[in-house]
Amino acid sequence: MRRRPGIAGLQNAAATRDKFRQVGENVAKVRTDVMQEQLATFRSQLEEFARKHKSDIRKNSVFRQQFHEMCSKVGVDPLASNKGVWAELLGIGDFYYELGVQIVDICIATRSHNGGLIDLLELRKLLCQKRKTDLGSLSSDDCLRAISKLKVLGSGFEVISVGKKKLVRSVPTELNKDHNGILELAQAKGYVTVEEVVKEFSWSTGRAIDALETLLKEGLAMIDDGHRDGKRRYWFPCVTLTSDATGAELKS
């Protein structure tokens, strides 16, 4: 008959397990402490790097994006607050705060033309006109970071992808798959017809008209009936509006 372990044996086994658990906890704590020390070192080096390259970070959009990417790897968000070391070192929080205010101004000013949906590149061009700088001084990454901070306003500011384009939405309009498909199709010529939508997506005429009329109702499309073929064109300013024309409107 196989002998069962006695009370003393069970107690020894339990004590051994406790020792192994304690050793494991100590090892985990040491590793955590080492990682925290390394992160603290990285952050310190990052601050020194920021001091050394302050001018490049503020003036060079590519360098600024690379700096943000480097920050994210060590868990630092220079935009988390306008207070603290990063605001003092770079004034980078103020930069994005100002940019966000200008983005709001432009989106509101152009809303009557594009229904609250503007191409990201178009927005960059208008921002540069407003700031009296060249396009290279402001990157898409700068705009995206500023827009991400506007979400706290709760007024629908976000970036959506339609085909190869990124569009900035400043109104809480819900676009479904049908609407996105039409917007992507319109990027080729700036407009679509019911017949083109039906042919491209193999939809029924009713489905195409319903989607187009919804976009029209939301202010994202404009109607053009002045053609000999009698076909109604649905124009989409959010993919056709030029920065020169919009810039002139902003100044007026």
Side-chain angles (χ1 to χ4, degrees), residues 67-126:
F67 172 73
H68 278 295
E69 291 171 353
M70 190 163 52
C71 285
S72 67
K73 291 180 181 179
V74 292
V76 173
D77 183 4
L79 305 184
S81 173
N82 274 345
K83 300 178 181 179
V85 64
W86 298 109
E88 293 172 5
L89 277 175
L90 305 172
I92 202 165
D94 293 335
F95 171 83
Y96 285 101
Y97 172 77
E98 178 187 341
L99 192 61
V101 171
Q102 292 171 340
I103 287 173
V104 172
D105 286 344
I106 290 172
C107 287
I108 291 174
T110 60
R111 194 174 288 169
S112 61
H113 298 283
N114 56 35
L117 203 60
I118 184 171
D119 178 59
L120 181 60
L121 177 58
E122 185 70 20
L123 177 61
R124 272 181 66 202
K125 291 178 179 178
L126 291 171

Side-chain angles (χ1 to χ4, degrees), residues 36-251:
Q36 288 177 341
E37 289 178 6
Q38 289 178 338
L39 283 174
T41 300
F42 287 149
R43 289 190 179 102
S44 176
Q45 292 175 343
L46 194 59
E47 289 178 16
E48 183 60 32
F49 176 87
R51 288 188 181 93
K52 184 177 180 180
H53 299 283
K54 177 178 179 178
S55 178
D56 290 325
I57 292 170
R58 295 187 66 176
K59 295 179 180 179
N60 188 309
S61 61
V62 176
F63 198 92
R64 189 163 53 246
Q65 179 177 349
Q66 293 172 342
F67 172 73
H68 278 295
E69 291 171 353
M70 190 163 52
C71 285
S72 67
K73 291 180 181 179
V74 292
V76 173
D77 183 4
L79 305 184
S81 173
N82 274 345
K83 300 178 181 179
V85 64
W86 298 109
E88 293 172 5
L89 277 175
L90 305 172
I92 202 165
D94 293 335
F95 171 83
Y96 285 101
Y97 172 77
E98 178 187 341
L99 192 61
V101 171
Q102 292 171 340
I103 287 173
V104 172
D105 286 344
I106 290 172
C107 287
I108 291 174
T110 60
R111 194 174 288 169
S112 61
H113 298 283
N114 56 35
L117 203 60
I118 184 171
D119 178 59
L120 181 60
L121 177 58
E122 185 70 20
L123 177 61
R124 272 181 66 202
K125 291 178 179 178
L126 291 171
L127 281 166
C128 289
Q129 286 183 18
K130 194 176 187 70
R131 298 165 69 89
K132 295 181 173 58
T133 59
D134 61 272
L135 193 61
S137 67
L138 191 67
S139 68
S140 294
D141 182 76
D142 287 330
C143 296
L144 293 174
R145 291 184 189 279
I147 292 166
S148 71
K149 302 304 173 184
L150 294 176
K151 289 184 178 180
V152 298
L153 298 176
S155 53
F157 279 91
E158 67 172 326
V159 179
I160 61 174
S161 295
V162 178
K164 296 180 180 179
K165 287 182 176 289
K166 288 187 181 296
L167 302 177
V168 179
R169 185 172 67 183
S170 60
V171 291
T173 302
E174 290 297 327
L175 300 178
N176 61 30
K177 189 176 179 180
D178 286 2
H179 303 145
N180 284 345
I182 289 173
L183 287 171
E184 186 174 356
L185 180 62
Q187 290 174 16
K189 298 183 294 184
Y191 71 87
V192 296
T193 63
V194 171
E195 292 78 9
E196 288 171 343
V197 172
V198 168
K199 181 179 179 181
E200 177 69 20
F201 302 114
S202 299
W203 292 351
S204 66
T205 300
R207 180 176 176 180
I209 292 175
D210 181 66
L212 286 165
E213 288 299 315
T214 298
L215 291 169
L216 182 65
K217 188 184 300 181
E218 293 293 340
L220 300 177
M222 298 173 64
I223 289 177
D224 178 8
D225 288 329
H227 293 270
R228 293 180 180 179
D229 59 11
K231 294 180 181 179
R232 169 170 289 184
R233 269 74 163 165
Y234 290 83
W235 285 88
F236 293 89
C238 59
V239 297
T240 59
L241 210 59
T242 64
S243 56
D244 290 340
T246 317
E249 179 67 21
L250 284 172
K251 292 177 182 177

